[in-house]
Amino acid sequence: MLIRRIKCLRYLGTRYNSSHYVTTPIFYVNAAPHIGHLYSAVIADAHCRYQRLRYPEQDVRLCTGTDEHGTKIQQAASLHGVPVAKYCDDISQRYREVFRSASIQQDDFIRTTEDRHKRAVANFWRTLHTRGHIYSAAYSGWYCVSDETFLTDSQLRLDEATGTRYSLESGHPVEWTEETNYMFRLSQFQDDVRHWVKTEARVRPAKFEKILLDTLSEPLPDVSVSRPSNRVHWAIPVPDDDSQTVYVWLDALVNYLSSVGYPDEKFSAHWPPAQQVIGKDILKFHGIYWTAFLLAAGLEPPGQLYVHSHWTVDGQKMSKSKHNVVDPLQAAQQYTMEGLRYFLLREGVAHSDGNYSHVKAQRILNSELADTLGNLLSRASAKSLNPGQIYPSPSAEHLADLLRSLDVAKRLQDSLLQLSERCESHYECNHFHLVADTTMAALHAANNFFESSKPWTLKAGAPDGNQARLETIIAMTMDALRLSGIVLQPIIPQLANRLLDKLSVPTAQRGWNYLAESFATSPNSSNSPAGLGESRQLDGQTSALLFQRILEETSAKEVKEQKPQPAKRSKSKKKERRETMS
Ligand code: MSP
């Protein structure tokens, strides 16, 4: 079987390949970016940031970009009265801007209109052709312009009243089309694709593996991989046959190869991708077509397809006609971009659709980023309590006594001890909501500890004045903040950096291995400083106000008047979110 030969290549590849190549889908330029698009990119970015943090020796590479060919794009440009190339430039640039503002740390942004990509597509086509997987045939069927694909009867809905057929999946009308074009022998790859899907957790969450296997239980028809140039001309010509252009999905999928330099040999340093992040609507194209194309070309399919569900807005599908499309840049004005990233990763789960609502975003961000995380930093670094503005080192004697005498101190220690292992296993599965949950639980424990140990009664001049004990309490609290900052870097990179800056944590001490350095791991150290050693000065340049509460627009003026308050536990639907499929 072909797949066995490819497995041998894989063995050789993984031995010498320290690359961890990750991709997002490339985004259509027929409309502006919305939060659903950003979600695909933020998942891939958080995944890569975690990989860099956890495995610093790995060569992590993230590629994103724009998908610019096809009738849809041509139509959108003419609707706007703009030449199609200029239209593509403009929308592609908007994606870049959104991604820059959302701190998406991509190594490459590829556009399918670039020459390097056209060369890769031509080469890939020739490889399939030379290997005998492409043939010419007369083809007829129901074609959906919007989906850029032919659909079978079972994928259609007939409106009896008008006689019009619509794509069941997208709802767009289809038209009967008869033409000569090139076909790819997809039918011959049925077993190999099924084998690939079933092996080694290739498609996650498991729900999507099942969907693919259901599709694969029916015979796969061959698929048309070209269109007549006179019908679709904003596309890449078929090599050696100008009368046809390459099917836009074949063109688009090859971007993952073009980005790493295919067909030049250097591409093999990154191939295959470790993970490809996609939305559920493009599962078939990646799980079946892409896998088969790669196998046919003698290349290894990706390590994993990570499939996410969709965002609805106030319970409704996002669409231009409903005027409910959420622009990430506008949403960021309300929540900040870090707030938006946190909300998407905190509230979204891959296996089922998420609902975007202002009320929910406001509630989560206020309760978690403002009240639980930000407020604790403000309290521990308040001048009244911490006039020297330090991140103190704890006294071994008081630390031991607090851990012995206060349940809340012990609970904080326990949750910090578990933080690294738990978050690691959640990150490994892209369960970002569980990382946030675990970190918030640790921060709740820290808030409880801080509140119960009443550090303000220990201040100089207060009846129980005891500087060493006060500093120990602040040190333990700051350790909890520091560890949370390290863990949250992949999810809210800018905010986590600000937190770690404020605490004067050197860049070299922000790696995953530093989660093992805190009072929690060395409580009995006879050598007083636990955590990271000597007391240090907090960074006076960085504000201790990490995240401003989001107020209703009418009362926005009040933002400045806020005072730090004890944190309350969020009442969000935590249980529901915990039920994540593996
Ligand atoms: N151009 C193709 C992909 C080609 S990849 C070789 C495409 N583009 S898209 O712009 O329509 O979608 C890009 C990504 O955005 C997909 O992963 C899609 O699932 C995601 N989303 C689009 N709408 C979405 C939501 N409402 N919610 C979450 N993600 C959604 O498909």
Side-chain angles (χ1 to χ4, degrees):
M1 226 184 199
L2 183 56
I3 208 138
R4 269 195 212 113
R5 247 189 21 243
I6 298 228
K7 270 198 152 175
C8 294
L9 288 176
R10 169 155 214 232
Y11 172 65
L12 288 174
T14 42
R15 270 184 56 193
Y16 299 109
N17 187 349
S18 69
S19 165
H20 187 88
Y21 175 36
V22 176
T23 65
T24 73
I26 48 170
F27 301 90
Y28 284 133
V29 291
N30 62 333
H34 61 55
I35 51 156
H37 303 129
L38 179 61
Y39 186 49
S40 289
V42 164
I43 289 177
D45 181 63
H47 171 90
C48 287
R49 284 177 182 272
Y50 164 72
Q51 291 288 325
R52 290 188 198 105
L53 196 62
R54 178 68 189 83
Y55 309 103
E57 68 290 350
Q58 234 182 195
D59 177 13
V60 178
R61 180 187 165 88
L62 172 60
C63 175
T64 187
T66 42
D67 187 354
E68 308 189 2
H69 287 131
T71 322
K72 262 204 294 206
I73 314 291
Q74 223 174 297
Q75 286 173 346
S78 79
L79 200 73
H80 287 83
V82 182
V84 63
K86 158 115 182 55
Y87 183 77
C88 292
D89 288 349
D90 291 349
I91 305 272
S92 183
Q93 186 56 28
R94 284 175 74 173
Y95 271 98
R96 273 182 192 271
E97 278 157 21
V98 167
F99 290 171
R100 189 182 41 77
S101 104
S103 308
I104 305 297
Q105 210 172 36
Q106 77 254 8
D107 298 281
D108 188 18
F109 187 100
I110 189 153
R111 301 181 55 187
T112 53
T113 44
E114 287 176 75
D115 285 344
R116 60 172 170 155
H117 174 69
K118 291 179 187 166
R119 187 166 85 93
V121 170
N123 209 283
F124 192 77
W125 178 283
R126 285 201 173 98
T127 305
L128 296 182
H129 197 255
T130 312
R131 291 174 149 239
H133 301 300
I134 286 180
Y135 61 97
S136 171
Y139 194 85
S140 59
W142 294 105
Y143 189 72
C144 179
V145 172
S146 177
D147 299 2
E148 308 267 17
T149 187
F150 282 97
L151 297 171
T152 59
D153 284 343
S154 64
Q155 294 170 311
L156 298 174
R157 171 181 70 79
L158 172 65
D159 181 341
E160 302 280 357
T162 60
T164 310
R165 287 173 170 76
Y166 296 89
S167 156
L168 267 179
E169 202 172 302
S170 70
H172 291 111
V174 296
E175 55 200 50
W176 184 254
T177 308
E178 294 179 19
E179 59 195 29
T180 297
N181 47 38
Y182 290 99
M183 304 293 293
F184 170 75
R185 296 186 199 281
L186 183 62
S187 53
Q188 293 193 348
F189 289 88
Q190 177 119 18
D191 291 342
D192 282 322
V193 173
R194 194 190 294 119
H195 186 267
W196 178 80
V197 171
K198 272 165 66 172
T199 322
E200 295 177 31
R202 294 285 188 208
V203 182
R204 280 298 171 265
K207 161 185 181 175
F208 296 108
E209 175 186 301
K210 182 164 183 317
I211 292 176
L212 275 184
L213 290 174
D214 283 351
T215 311
L216 287 161
S217 64
E218 300 289 322
L220 287 177
D222 288 351
V223 55
S224 154
V225 284
S226 75
R227 303 286 182 263
S229 319
N230 54 13
R231 194 156 65 76
V232 182
H233 65 263
W234 182 245
I236 299 175
V238 164
D240 312 315
D241 183 355
D242 278 355
S243 71
Q244 297 275 318
T245 54
V246 176
Y247 174 42
V248 284
W249 264 103
L250 175 54
D251 164 352
L253 288 162
V254 171
N255 92 84
Y256 303 130
L257 281 162
S258 325
S259 169
V260 285
Y262 177 91
D264 299 339
E265 187 40 40
K266 62 181 177 192
F267 93 94
S268 57
H270 298 283
W271 203 261
Q275 183 158 119
Q276 301 206 267
V277 176
I278 57 167
K280 64 178 184 178
D281 53 323
I282 53 177
L283 175 62
K284 177 185 76 183
F285 297 103
H286 285 79
I288 298 179
Y289 292 7
W290 181 225
T291 310
F293 291 154
L294 286 171
L295 292 172
L299 295 171
E300 194 181 339
Q304 188 171 80
L305 281 182
Y306 186 73
V307 190
H308 66 76
S309 299
H310 278 187
W311 284 94
T312 56
V313 173
D314 295 322
Q316 305 236 2
K317 195 173 164 176
M318 251 191 287
S319 84
K320 266 199 235 157
S321 58
K322 290 196 188 107
H323 304 289
N324 66 350
V325 176
V326 182
D327 170 357
L329 295 178
Q330 261 176 20
Q333 286 181 0
Q334 238 171 343
Y335 309 124
T336 72
M337 205 36 117
E338 290 286 290
L340 182 59
R341 268 183 81 115
Y342 186 78
F343 176 71
L344 293 176
L345 294 175
R346 191 330 161 227
E347 188 59 22
V349 288
H351 61 82
S352 56
D353 287 352
N355 187 32
Y356 181 94
S357 85
H358 173 65
V359 175
K360 206 190 292 182
Q362 185 184 24
R363 196 185 62 217
I364 289 178
L365 296 178
N366 281 347
S367 127
E368 302 190 359
L369 292 189
D371 298 349
T372 304
L373 174 63
N375 195 41
L376 189 61
L377 176 66
S378 303
R379 295 183 88 196
S381 59
K383 289 233 168 81
S384 55
L385 197 67
N386 188 347
Q389 291 293 281
I390 53 167
Y391 182 158
S393 72
S395 115
E397 184 198 329
H398 285 289
L399 182 54
D401 184 57
L402 283 162
L403 291 172
R404 214 176 19 244
S405 60
L406 275 183
D407 270 1
V408 280
K410 189 80 187 82
R411 276 204 290 276
L412 173 59
Q413 182 189 32
D414 289 346
S415 65
L416 293 185
L417 282 176
Q418 292 163 0
L419 193 66
S420 168
E421 202 181 313
R422 287 198 175 169
C423 291
E424 180 171 333
S425 77
H426 298 323
Y427 268 130
E428 294 291 336
C429 306
N430 286 351
H431 291 164
F432 306 110
H433 62 296
L434 294 179
V435 174
D437 228 12
T438 309
T439 314
M440 285 301 141
L443 286 167
H444 280 299
N447 273 286
N448 284 340
F449 162 70
F450 190 83
E451 191 62 19
S452 310
S453 57
K454 301 190 173 55
W456 50 91
T457 62
L458 303 168
K459 286 194 300 190
D464 299 329
N466 185 336
Q467 187 63 16
R469 195 170 181 86
L470 169 63
E471 288 188 2
T472 304
I473 293 169
I474 295 179
M476 292 166 73
T477 307
M478 289 192 171
D479 270 4
L481 285 162
R482 176 172 54 83
L483 266 47
S484 304
I486 292 176
V487 165
L488 290 174
Q489 290 174 95
I491 298 176
I492 38 172
Q494 306 299 338
L495 218 54
N497 265 344
R498 276 214 338 261
L499 168 63
L500 297 171
D501 284 351
K502 180 73 201 170
L503 297 174
S504 300
V505 181
T507 314
Q509 294 179 5
R510 297 179 184 190
W512 197 260
N513 48 338
Y514 278 87
L515 291 174
E517 306 283 331
S518 74
F519 80 85
T521 45
S522 46
N524 301 319
S525 161
S526 53
N527 200 352
S528 77
L532 289 177
E534 299 303 322
S535 292
R536 67 187 80 169
Q537 209 59 43
L538 294 179
D539 177 11
Q541 306 296 312
T542 307
S543 162
L545 181 57
L546 211 54
F547 192 86
Q548 286 202 335
R549 292 194 106 242
I550 298 153
L551 302 179
E552 289 306 331
E553 267 147 43
T554 47
S555 56
K557 276 185 271 132
E558 294 164 28
V559 168
K560 294 206 176 77
E561 290 155 24
Q562 283 178 76
K563 300 232 167 67
Q565 295 294 326
K568 289 199 188 74
R569 195 157 169 81
S570 155
K571 291 195 187 103
S572 59
K573 290 196 250 156
K574 286 199 161 53
K575 263 200 220 131
E576 194 179 297
R577 290 199 301 273
R578 268 190 210 110
E579 288 163 15
T580 306
M581 292 165 83
S582 61

